[in-house]
Amino acid sequence: MCTSFPIPPPATAATTTTATNLFAAVDIGTNSFKLTVVCTDTSSGRFLTLNRLKEPVLLGLDTTATISAVSLDRAITAIRNFQNFLHSHRFTNPRLRLVATSAVREASNKSQFIHAVNETLGLDVEILSGTEEARLIYLGVLQFFPVFDSTVLTIDIGGGSTEFAVGFKGNVLFSKSLRLGHVTLTQEFTDDITKMREHIRNELENSGLIEKIKEFKIDVVIGSSGTIKAIEKAVSKGYALKVEEENAGLFEDFFKREWRFSRQELRCLVESLYDEEKEMDGKVKRVGFFKSRAPFILAGTILLDEVFERLHIEEIEVSGYALGEGVITEMLAQNFEGFDLNSNARWRSVVRLASRFNNKKRMKAATMCGGIAREIFEGLRKWNELHDDEFSVSLDVSDLEYVDAASLLHNIGLYTGKKGYHKQSYHIITNGDHLHGYTKEELKVRFQLIALLVRYHRKKFPKRDAIDGSAKEVNKKFRILCTILRVSSAVQQCLHVDFQFVEFIHSPEGFKLVFSEGDTKNQSADIVQPLSGDINVAVEKELEHFRMVFKKNLSILVTT
């Protein structure tokens, strides 16, 4: 087993990519096309976003609901650019899915569009129904927010339509797509905002959407995609407030971005955009802030304002994930048996906590520790399976999640100083509402395991019954995971070179952990040597703990 180093726990930094763990989605929207590329952890399906690309296509329909030849050419060019990007970055065979939304869905010549893309680029385009689009957006939002156990209303404003979904525990209870989009509203009501509002109200009332959504007890409202994210950015940066230019930096420093906004804040933004319509300087300011979205932002804010009014929404959370991530999530569920819809949201809460207390240097160290721990874990799990459960307990994906989380969090207490930092890390985890995405039952067990792994990753070795009240098997598994983390942390602190690869090897003499500045697959065994001098002394204590737990030696080797 040979792995690129440092291997971060998923979703912290780039990792080795292969055809088996790359997934990509293209969202063919009305205003723009978007490519999302992710790298997945093949053991759990958790993903790290590697790249996002956006092409402003403006795939509008003419009076006969037809995609024009010029628009089709722009579409082909945009998708070809995505293809070229994937190839140039050696993403040669990702699992790729292209989905088309409102503009193509409503086009009279949609068959021609699909055929042209296939004929020219060899790619298949899937046209989503409005209901299916809303469902996939909900799946994407679940990867961003730990709201699996909440009744969620998602709102996604696109260029040609707006999607609504009510979801609970991964299932959509109700969804609706309305032909209300920021591009189509702008084009139809360019000079008459009053008529635009009347049209929006009529569509909302006649659709039955309002009455249906009011049947549910909504726990949280979440918005997604470009328009709502642009609104949140404008609110957080004080766009609607009269902040003098020289004080803008002070304002941004004082107000922390919350990724949410209230009904009142939205209303202030709408009024500010209204006022800008009357003066040239205001329009220049708008273009400078909203860039290519500037012509459509007023229609988007008015639409959302009407939705807030009719549904009595007081606050909305804003998701960084939307349709593209939802499409990828569905692919992951199809390719990874037992894929957990909660796993990415859980991991995001771990990353947020680590980022809150760690600077870049400590974050890098934690990431390197996690890479070493993962390699040891996978090597031991494989060896255990080949030797008929030698440890008398099995190691599974959830155990790897504990190791990942503990690796990333083990050094957060260093922000107060080195003395007793492992205890400080433990207190941070246990004395705050930081880790999300778990059920109450899971939280009790997993929270305790992660916290105790952090607590015992150095200094005193845990007792055989470290987890009070737990079965003997649970405590034995804890000691195994703790040993892995202790070795990984000690070795990481002793490595003076940023090695690129690490490999865990089984041999008759015991286990070997080999570090290399190059690909160890191309190295021969006679050019590796043990860690020497002070480095060996520093890790020997943890290697002795390893021998005590696994009844085998572990050698730490480096390539010369």
Side-chain angles (χ1 to χ4, degrees), residues 247-529:
N247 295 325
L250 294 173
F251 178 88
E252 291 180 21
D253 290 339
F254 184 76
F255 286 94
K256 186 172 65 175
R257 195 162 184 178
E258 297 289 348
W259 293 100
R260 64 167 64 93
F261 55 89
S262 69
R263 187 176 183 178
Q264 182 58 39
E265 288 169 329
L266 175 61
R267 177 53 58 88
C268 289
L269 180 60
V270 172
E271 291 174 356
S272 178
L273 294 174
Y274 267 156
D275 293 340
E276 288 177 359
E277 289 291 297
K278 305 168 188 175
E279 51 190 51
M280 183 56 66
D281 288 346
K283 292 183 178 180
V284 171
K285 173 190 173 187
R286 185 184 301 181
V287 171
F289 187 88
F290 291 101
K291 305 298 188 290
S292 62
R293 196 171 294 278
F296 314 114
I297 192 63
L298 177 59
T301 55
I302 290 172
L303 171 55
L304 191 60
D305 187 41
E306 288 295 331
V307 171
F308 269 45
E309 185 74 22
R310 296 294 172 270
L311 290 173
H312 305 295
I313 296 171
E314 294 300 328
E315 185 177 72
I316 190 170
E317 304 268 359
V318 181
S319 172
Y321 294 170
L323 178 60
E325 287 79 11
V327 171
I328 288 171
T329 298
E330 186 162 75
M331 287 194 285
L332 294 176
Q334 294 167 350
N335 283 275
F336 292 98
E337 186 177 353
F339 173 70
D340 184 357
L341 281 174
N342 249 335
S343 58
N344 281 299
R346 277 201 303 269
W347 185 248
R348 280 180 51 77
S349 71
V350 172
V351 174
R352 280 197 297 270
L353 179 57
S355 301
R356 179 179 174 184
F357 288 95
N358 276 338
N359 57 24
K360 288 184 179 180
K361 182 179 179 180
R362 292 197 298 269
M363 199 71 170
K364 180 180 178 181
T367 297
M368 293 174 68
C369 174
I372 298 169
R374 278 187 143 242
E375 185 66 16
I376 296 174
F377 179 96
E378 294 288 10
L380 288 171
R381 181 164 70 165
K382 183 177 179 180
W383 181 83
N384 192 38
E385 291 171 351
L386 292 174
H387 292 79
D388 196 24
D389 201 14
E390 180 81 10
F391 307 151
S392 76
V393 292
S394 60
L395 300 176
D396 56 31
V397 173
S398 62
D399 299 321
L400 180 57
E401 189 173 328
Y402 304 144
V403 172
D404 281 345
S407 296
L408 205 61
L409 299 174
H410 79 280
N411 60 352
I412 57 177
L414 280 169
Y415 88 102
T416 62
K418 189 168 184 179
K419 184 177 180 180
Y421 78 85
H422 56 302
K423 296 180 181 179
Q424 186 64 29
S425 299
Y426 172 83
H427 289 309
I428 292 171
I429 296 171
T430 54
N431 293 327
D433 183 23
H434 301 298
L435 301 184
H436 306 285
Y438 300 101
T439 65
K440 290 182 179 179
E441 293 75 17
E442 287 176 329
L443 191 60
K444 183 178 179 181
V445 176
R446 297 189 185 204
F447 190 82
Q448 185 181 24
L449 263 171
I450 293 169
L452 286 174
L453 284 172
V454 168
R455 166 68 176 79
Y456 287 106
H457 85 272
R458 67 192 286 264
K459 298 291 186 181
K460 187 178 180 182
F461 196 72
K463 299 177 181 179
R464 292 187 179 275
D465 56 349
I467 305 180
D468 294 336
S470 295
K472 182 178 179 181
E473 293 178 356
V474 173
N475 275 287
K476 184 169 185 178
K477 180 177 287 191
F478 171 74
R479 284 166 64 84
I480 289 173
L481 300 182
C482 193
T483 303
I484 293 171
L485 181 60
R486 290 176 71 101
V487 169
S488 302
S489 176
V491 170
Q492 179 273 318
Q493 292 180 57
C494 294
L495 290 173
H496 298 309
V497 179
D498 285 344
F499 290 91
Q500 298 302 308
F501 287 86
V502 58
E503 184 176 14
F504 189 86
I505 301 171
H506 314 139
S507 71
E509 299 82 29
F511 302 120
K512 297 178 182 178
L513 191 64
V514 184
F515 293 89
S516 172
E517 293 183 76
D519 189 342
T520 53
K521 290 179 181 178
N522 300 321
Q523 306 287 354
S524 56
D526 59 354
I527 62 169
V528 297
Q529 61 185 26

Side-chain angles (χ1 to χ4, degrees), residues 36-78:
T36 303
V37 185
V38 309
C39 177
T40 63
D41 168 26
T42 54
S43 62
S44 67
R46 281 179 286 168
F47 63 77
L48 161 68
T49 301
L50 297 181
N51 291 97
R52 298 178 192 273
L53 264 66
K54 180 179 177 181
E55 292 277 347
V57 177
L58 197 57
L59 195 63
L61 306 180
D62 60 22
T63 54
T64 61
T66 302
I67 298 173
S68 68
V70 174
S71 293
L72 180 57
D73 286 342
R74 289 200 299 265
I76 296 292
T77 300

